Amino acid sequence: MNKYCIKEFLSNTLESHESTLKETSFDKTNNEYLCEDEKLRVIYDFDSYVRQNFDQRLLPASPDAIYVGNKKLYFIEFKNQNPSDIDKSQMKRKFESGTKILKEELLNGFY
């Protein structure tokens, strides 16, 4: 493994959480997919990673998914509501917490 390749490092770390946009967009409450895209093949279910690696009683807020591009990382959050109804402070907490998990947990062993 190239010690400078975050994409490869995260691919190894998140392998068991590989998913698609469609799979990670499933809204259990309304029993529907919020996204039909299955072309972008390497998406990681970030919520799944958090549920597996953190105490269930103390789960940190986290984005739904993470996409690792060639030079950038993208957090993805699906919302099944009107944009004006989205709680901006909750979104901010999710992305801040996701960034903290990424830095302190996922990239902990990265050189």
Side-chain angles (χ1 to χ4, degrees):
M1 173 173 69
N2 178 347
K3 69 178 185 177
Y4 300 107
C5 185
I6 290 177
K7 186 173 186 170
E8 187 177 337
F9 181 82
L10 287 176
S11 173
N12 291 333
T13 306
L14 295 170
E15 182 177 38
S16 64
H17 304 283
E18 200 168 300
S19 186
T20 64
L21 285 171
K22 182 177 180 176
E23 289 171 5
T24 56
S25 76
F26 188 69
D27 177 357
K28 293 174 191 160
T29 303
N30 296 305
N31 198 33
E32 67 179 320
Y33 293 97
L34 303 178
C35 176
E36 295 293 328
D37 188 328
E38 293 183 294
K39 292 178 184 172
L40 193 57
R41 301 305 290 170
V42 185
I43 296 292
Y44 300 102
D45 186 333
F46 203 64
D47 280 339
S48 171
Y49 171 82
V50 169
R51 282 191 304 272
Q52 181 179 329
N53 291 283
F54 291 86
D55 185 326
Q56 296 299 308
R57 295 167 292 151
L58 305 171
L59 285 177
S62 63
D64 295 326
I66 187 171
Y67 170 70
V68 184
N70 288 332
K71 294 187 178 188
K72 295 184 180 184
L73 300 169
Y74 300 89
F75 284 131
I76 302 165
E77 178 67 24
F78 295 100
K79 291 291 185 195
N80 194 5
Q81 61 193 98
N82 290 325
S84 61
D85 295 333
I86 293 173
D87 182 343
K88 292 174 184 73
S89 62
Q90 179 196 35
M91 292 295 294
K92 183 178 177 181
R93 281 192 310 277
K94 282 186 174 217
F95 287 104
E96 286 173 346
S97 177
T99 300
K100 183 177 179 181
I101 293 167
L102 182 67
K103 285 180 177 179
E104 295 178 6
E105 302 289 330
L106 287 167
L107 294 176
N108 190 23
F110 186 71
Y111 301 88

